[in-house]
Every structure is written in C-alpha cells, then in structure tokens.
Amino acid sequence: MKPIPVMIDRSSPVPLYHQLAEQLTAAVEDGRLQPGDPFENELALAERLDLSRPTVRRAIAELVNRGLLVRRRGVGTSVASQVIHRRDELTSLYDDMVRRGQQPRTEVLSHSPETIDATAAVALGLPPDTPLLSVQRLRYVGDIPTALMHNWLPPQFADLTVEDLGGESLYALLRARGVRPVIAHQTIGARRPLPRERKLLGLSVGDPLLTMTRRAYAVNGAPVEYGDHCYRYDQYTFDVTVHDR
C-alpha cells in the first residue's frame, strides 16, 4: 500500500500518538484507506515518521478500539470491513446530556464578538488585544438550571449567532465548520457561588459550586475554545479515568 502522508507537530500540546491516530482515522473516513487494505507495518511507520514504537503502537490500538482496523494472527493488520465501535470524542455538556437521554435547553445570556480579554486570548495562544467571541449561556435540564458557561472563541468563529448557540452544542457547531476539538486541558474545583451565579442556578445560601476551566485543542494543536464553567453541585459530577504510565 502507498504510505499515508502524516504531519507530526512535536511542539503541539496534542500527544503524538493522538495526532497520528486522528490523521490515520481521517484516511479511513475519506477513503484513502479502503476496507480490506493492508495496514503499514508498525516498525516501518515508526521509522518513516521518526516516532517511537510505543507511540505508533498506541495510535494503532486507538484505531483498533474504534473498529477501524483489525488484527489477525498470521495475516497482520488491515482496514476493517465496517466500523464496529462508535468513535470516542471530546464532548460538550450538551452532548453528554443528550446521550443520557435528557433534554437540554440553552439560554444565551450574552453574546459579544468583539470582546477584549487578555486572559482568554493568551489561553487561546493569541495576542492579548485580539477581539474574541465571548458567550455566556445558562444550560437547563428540563426546568432545572444546571450549568452557567462562559466561553471565548478565536475571531474565526465570530459568525456564530445567538440562534446557533441556543439550539446546538458548541462542539457540534465547531465540527460543522471543519474544526474538531480532540483534546482538552481541564482544571476542576469547587467554591462558593457569587450572588449572580446563585440566582441563575437557583442555589441556596451556603450551597457550593463545581467549577471547571478548559482549553480545547484541534488535531493540529491550535486552541479553539477557552471556557470557564460552573455547575450545580447536585446536578452534575465529573468522571475521570486515570492510567498508570
């Protein structure tokens, strides 16, 4: 088979194995790799891209887990005849709610495509005076307010409207524009709510808030979203899986 071109950015915060897995996945999805095609040998791929074998092995394992590749003893690795597993994705709160069978509703509290915020701009890898799209939304499950979300996005997304943001998940809107968030750095905490947060989320005096700040990156390593969110303590939990290296 003809080797699939792969561009690895070693300065990117996206792990090398994930960059490789995403680009190989794209090759399967766009037809450059056809069902039944033999897959490039692990050692040859590692040497061609100047990557370690464990890095390449982990990327291939990602595609096997997604049902895009199959391994057969004595035959080797080939492209699967059909997708067996749903592909894992970095999801938004809206996506999480829908997948749990809930009916989310979003109220857009503010929408400003020309916001100057030095902290958010630096988090997005942009000059501090860059105009950003700033959006504040209140997310409900039924009639219960669950999350208050403040997000900043680069200027390329300034065309997102109040109607867009009120009717769809943020990450779905980014994917519709050809940008797929694939990895995020999150900081999770808890604190007492401010008076406005307490009112919007229907909390009582003394109730805590769960908090999360997040920077999300596309497969090319470009930051595409910075968020500062807070959640009702009795309506949301964070599940985290950790691995021994």
Side-chain angles (χ1 to χ4, degrees), residues 190-205:
R191 60 173 171 80
R192 294 189 181 277
L194 300 174
R196 177 175 179 269
E197 295 167 338
R198 186 185 305 122
K199 180 179 179 180
L200 288 170
L201 291 171
L203 295 171
S204 301
V205 175

Side-chain angles (χ1 to χ4, degrees), residues 69-126:
L69 296 180
V70 291
R71 288 175 171 145
R72 294 185 175 90
R73 186 184 300 273
V75 177
T77 304
S78 61
V79 180
S81 59
Q82 61 181 349
V83 176
I84 301 168
H85 300 289
R86 179 184 61 82
R87 180 180 175 186
D88 291 332
E89 294 179 331
L90 173 64
T91 61
S92 66
L93 175 60
Y94 187 101
D95 298 327
D96 292 340
M97 289 178 171
V98 169
R99 288 171 181 171
R100 289 200 298 264
Q102 298 171 324
Q103 297 181 334
R105 176 170 62 87
T106 303
E107 179 183 354
V108 180
L109 304 176
S110 68
H111 175 277
S112 174
E114 297 290 335
T115 295
I116 303 297
D117 187 299
T119 299
V122 170
L124 290 168
L126 299 169

Side-chain angles (χ1 to χ4, degrees), residues 116-138:
I116 303 297
D117 187 299
T119 299
V122 170
L124 290 168
L126 299 169
D129 59 350
T130 302
L132 306 174
L133 172 60
S134 169
V135 180
Q136 292 189 43
R137 295 166 295 156
L138 184 60

Side-chain angles (χ1 to χ4, degrees), residues 31-65:
R32 284 176 289 161
L33 287 174
Q34 293 288 319
D37 282 351
F39 193 75
E40 189 172 359
N41 176 272
E42 176 186 300
L43 178 58
L45 186 58
E47 291 179 348
R48 177 165 70 87
L49 300 177
D50 193 23
L51 293 172
S52 69
R53 290 192 68 178
T55 295
V56 172
R57 188 175 302 121
R58 187 170 180 182
I60 293 174
E62 285 276 318
L63 271 72
V64 171
N65 290 336

Side-chain angles (χ1 to χ4, degrees), residues 123-209:
L124 290 168
L126 299 169
D129 59 350
T130 302
L132 306 174
L133 172 60
S134 169
V135 180
Q136 292 189 43
R137 295 166 295 156
L138 184 60
R139 180 68 45 76
Y140 291 84
V141 175
D143 294 326
I144 301 174
T146 299
L148 180 61
M149 303 173 293
H150 194 174
N151 293 85
W152 294 263
L153 294 98
Q156 71 197 83
F157 302 113
D159 64 322
L160 290 173
T161 67
V162 171
E163 290 73 21
D164 291 334
L165 293 157
E168 185 59 274
S169 81
L170 177 59
Y171 283 6
L173 293 170
L174 296 184
R175 290 193 292 267
R177 285 160 170 75
V179 176
R180 184 188 296 275
V182 296
I183 193 168
H185 294 165
Q186 298 184 163
T187 301
I188 298 169
R191 60 173 171 80
R192 294 189 181 277
L194 300 174
R196 177 175 179 269
E197 295 167 338
R198 186 185 305 122
K199 180 179 179 180
L200 288 170
L201 291 171
L203 295 171
S204 301
V205 175
D207 285 346
L209 275 181

